[in-house]
Amino acid sequence: MIEKSIVKEIVDRWLADKEYFLVDIVCSPDNRIMVEIDHADGVWIEDCVALSRYLESNLNRDEEDFELEVGSAGIGQPFKVERQYINHIGKEVEVVDAGGLKWKGILKAVDGQDFVVTVKEKQKEEGKKRPKLVEVDKTFNMNSVKYTKYIINFK
Protein backbone atom coordinates (compact mmCIF):
# COMPACT_ATOMS: atom_id res chain seq x y z
CA MET A 1 0.00 0.00 0.00
CA ILE A 2 1.27 3.45 -0.89
CA GLU A 3 1.72 5.53 2.27
CA LYS A 4 -0.35 8.67 2.71
CA SER A 5 2.73 10.52 4.01
CA ILE A 6 4.57 9.89 0.72
CA VAL A 7 1.63 11.19 -1.33
CA LYS A 8 1.34 14.24 0.97
CA GLU A 9 5.03 15.02 0.54
CA ILE A 10 4.67 14.98 -3.25
CA VAL A 11 1.48 17.07 -3.18
CA ASP A 12 3.10 19.60 -0.82
CA ARG A 13 6.01 20.03 -3.27
CA TRP A 14 3.53 20.71 -6.11
CA LEU A 15 1.56 23.17 -3.96
CA ALA A 16 4.66 25.05 -2.74
CA ASP A 17 4.53 27.91 -5.26
CA LYS A 18 0.76 27.94 -5.83
CA GLU A 19 -2.26 29.47 -4.10
CA TYR A 20 -3.96 26.08 -3.92
CA PHE A 21 -4.17 24.23 -0.62
CA LEU A 22 -4.60 20.60 0.34
CA VAL A 23 -7.99 19.56 1.70
CA ASP A 24 -7.68 15.80 1.98
CA ILE A 25 -5.75 12.72 0.91
CA VAL A 26 -7.19 9.20 1.12
CA CYS A 27 -5.05 6.15 0.42
CA SER A 28 -7.05 2.91 0.55
CA PRO A 29 -5.58 -0.58 1.11
CA ASP A 30 -6.28 -1.42 -2.54
CA ASN A 31 -4.03 1.50 -3.63
CA ARG A 32 -6.75 3.90 -4.61
CA ILE A 33 -5.40 7.40 -4.02
CA MET A 34 -7.80 10.36 -3.82
CA VAL A 35 -6.46 13.90 -3.46
CA GLU A 36 -8.67 16.96 -2.88
CA ILE A 37 -7.35 20.49 -3.37
CA ASP A 38 -9.04 23.87 -3.13
CA HIS A 39 -8.44 27.53 -3.98
CA ALA A 40 -10.15 30.75 -2.87
CA ASP A 41 -11.37 31.33 -6.45
CA GLY A 42 -12.22 27.72 -7.27
CA VAL A 43 -10.27 24.86 -8.81
CA TRP A 44 -9.45 24.62 -12.50
CA ILE A 45 -9.53 21.21 -14.20
CA GLU A 46 -6.18 21.97 -15.84
CA ASP A 47 -4.57 22.26 -12.40
CA CYS A 48 -6.09 18.95 -11.28
CA VAL A 49 -4.61 17.36 -14.41
CA ALA A 50 -1.23 18.99 -13.72
CA LEU A 51 -1.19 17.70 -10.12
CA SER A 52 -2.27 14.25 -11.30
CA ARG A 53 0.58 14.12 -13.82
CA TYR A 54 3.04 15.36 -11.20
CA LEU A 55 1.95 12.60 -8.81
CA GLU A 56 2.16 10.01 -11.61
CA SER A 57 5.70 11.09 -12.43
CA ASN A 58 6.78 10.87 -8.78
CA LEU A 59 5.21 7.50 -7.93
CA ASN A 60 6.55 4.29 -9.44
CA ARG A 61 3.87 2.02 -10.96
CA ASP A 62 6.51 -0.69 -11.47
CA GLU A 63 6.95 -0.94 -7.68
CA GLU A 64 3.27 -0.68 -6.85
CA ASP A 65 0.27 -0.11 -9.13
CA PHE A 66 -2.34 2.43 -8.07
CA GLU A 67 -5.53 4.21 -9.10
CA LEU A 68 -5.33 8.00 -8.85
CA GLU A 69 -8.08 10.60 -8.58
CA VAL A 70 -7.37 14.33 -8.16
CA GLY A 71 -10.23 16.80 -7.74
CA SER A 72 -11.61 19.82 -5.98
CA ALA A 73 -13.17 19.83 -2.53
CA GLY A 74 -16.60 20.26 -4.12
CA ILE A 75 -18.99 23.13 -3.67
CA GLY A 76 -21.63 22.48 -1.05
CA GLN A 77 -19.54 19.79 0.65
CA PRO A 78 -18.65 20.06 4.35
CA PHE A 79 -15.49 21.98 5.18
CA LYS A 80 -12.50 19.83 6.17
CA VAL A 81 -9.72 22.37 6.82
CA GLU A 82 -9.43 25.80 8.42
CA ARG A 83 -8.55 27.53 5.15
CA GLN A 84 -11.98 26.63 3.74
CA TYR A 85 -13.57 28.49 6.65
CA ILE A 86 -11.33 31.50 6.07
CA ASN A 87 -12.18 31.56 2.33
CA HIS A 88 -15.90 31.69 3.14
CA ILE A 89 -15.89 34.59 5.63
CA GLY A 90 -18.79 36.90 4.75
CA LYS A 91 -20.76 34.11 3.07
CA GLU A 92 -23.80 32.15 4.21
CA VAL A 93 -23.05 28.80 5.82
CA GLU A 94 -24.92 25.98 7.49
CA VAL A 95 -23.57 24.52 10.72
CA VAL A 96 -24.81 21.39 12.44
CA ASP A 97 -23.54 21.45 16.01
CA ALA A 98 -22.59 18.47 18.17
CA GLY A 99 -26.16 18.24 19.48
CA GLY A 100 -27.62 18.05 15.97
CA LEU A 101 -29.03 21.61 15.93
CA LYS A 102 -28.83 23.29 12.52
CA TRP A 103 -27.77 26.93 12.28
CA LYS A 104 -27.77 29.11 9.17
CA GLY A 105 -26.05 32.45 9.04
CA ILE A 106 -23.13 34.51 7.83
CA LEU A 107 -19.64 33.28 8.66
CA LYS A 108 -18.23 36.31 10.45
CA ALA A 109 -14.77 35.33 11.72
CA VAL A 110 -12.28 32.51 12.15
CA ASP A 111 -9.79 32.40 15.01
CA GLY A 112 -7.73 29.22 15.13
CA GLN A 113 -10.20 26.34 15.53
CA ASP A 114 -13.07 28.65 16.57
CA PHE A 115 -15.39 30.39 14.16
CA VAL A 116 -18.28 32.82 14.55
CA VAL A 117 -21.55 32.71 12.61
CA THR A 118 -24.09 35.54 12.78
CA VAL A 119 -27.57 33.97 12.94
CA LYS A 120 -31.07 35.39 13.29
CA GLU A 121 -32.89 34.35 16.44
CA LYS A 122 -36.27 35.19 17.88
CA GLN A 123 -35.91 36.97 21.21
CA LYS A 124 -38.62 38.39 23.39
CA GLU A 125 -38.16 42.04 24.27
CA GLU A 126 -39.20 43.22 27.69
CA GLY A 127 -42.70 44.68 27.64
CA LYS A 128 -43.51 43.28 24.18
CA LYS A 129 -45.89 40.41 23.45
CA ARG A 130 -44.21 39.01 20.35
CA PRO A 131 -40.60 37.94 19.92
CA LYS A 132 -38.46 39.89 17.48
CA LEU A 133 -35.80 38.58 15.06
CA VAL A 134 -32.36 39.78 16.11
CA GLU A 135 -28.85 38.99 14.90
CA VAL A 136 -26.76 36.97 17.34
CA ASP A 137 -23.15 35.80 17.04
CA LYS A 138 -22.68 32.10 17.76
CA THR A 139 -19.20 30.71 18.35
CA PHE A 140 -18.41 27.14 17.32
CA ASN A 141 -15.30 24.98 17.35
CA MET A 142 -14.35 23.22 14.10
CA ASN A 143 -13.64 19.99 15.95
CA SER A 144 -16.95 20.05 17.85
CA VAL A 145 -19.44 20.48 15.00
CA LYS A 146 -20.82 17.66 12.88
CA TYR A 147 -20.26 19.79 9.78
CA THR A 148 -20.12 23.26 8.30
CA LYS A 149 -20.78 23.93 4.64
CA TYR A 150 -21.28 26.82 2.26
CA ILE A 151 -24.88 27.45 1.23
CA ILE A 152 -25.27 27.85 -2.51
CA ASN A 153 -27.68 30.69 -3.18
CA PHE A 154 -29.11 31.21 -6.67
CA LYS A 155 -30.77 34.56 -5.93
Side-chain angles (χ1 to χ4, degrees):
M1 181 172 128
I2 296 173
E3 294 294 320
K4 182 176 180 177
S5 60
I6 292 170
V7 176
K8 184 177 182 328
E9 211 174 279
I10 296 167
V11 171
D12 286 344
R13 281 196 312 259
W14 186 85
L15 293 171
D17 61 344
K18 297 169 184 62
E19 292 182 23
Y20 281 97
F21 58 94
L22 180 62
V23 174
D24 198 12
I25 295 175
V26 177
C27 294
S28 67
D30 62 347
N31 276 343
R32 182 169 183 203
I33 302 168
M34 292 183 290
V35 178
E36 284 184 8
I37 57 172
D38 207 349
H39 187 283
D41 298 325
V43 176
W44 295 94
I45 188 74
E46 293 85 0
D47 293 321
C48 290
V49 170
L51 175 54
S52 180
R53 287 184 179 149
Y54 186 79
L55 279 162
E56 288 267 352
S57 69
N58 284 277
L59 293 171
N60 188 345
R61 281 191 186 276
D62 294 334
E63 285 180 19
E64 203 162 4
D65 197 21
F66 57 89
E67 178 183 339
L68 178 62
E69 181 181 323
V70 176
S72 68
I75 195 162
Q77 294 298 309
F79 299 161
K80 294 180 181 177
V81 296
E82 180 183 351
R83 189 132 167 224
Q84 289 177 297
Y85 286 85
I86 293 167
N87 286 345
H88 287 86
I89 291 175
K91 298 184 176 143
E92 191 175 16
V93 295
E94 176 181 281
V95 178
V96 175
D97 66 20
L101 289 174
K102 189 183 287 187
W103 303 88
K104 287 185 181 180
I106 303 300
L107 181 57
K108 184 177 182 177
V110 178
D111 183 19
Q113 293 296 299
D114 293 328
F115 63 100
V116 178
V117 177
T118 303
V119 299
K120 291 185 179 178
E121 259 185 12
K122 287 184 180 180
Q123 290 185 353
K124 192 165 182 168
E125 287 184 326
E126 198 174 313
K128 302 280 183 179
K129 288 184 178 182
R130 296 183 184 261
K132 181 180 176 182
L133 267 182
V134 294
E135 289 187 346
V136 177
D137 287 346
K138 297 280 184 186
T139 302
F140 301 94
N141 183 280
M142 292 175 199
N143 298 317
S144 301
V145 296
K146 290 186 177 178
Y147 71 79
T148 303
K149 62 183 179 179
Y150 171 64
I151 296 177
I152 303 166
N153 195 339
F154 295 103
K155 291 181 185 176

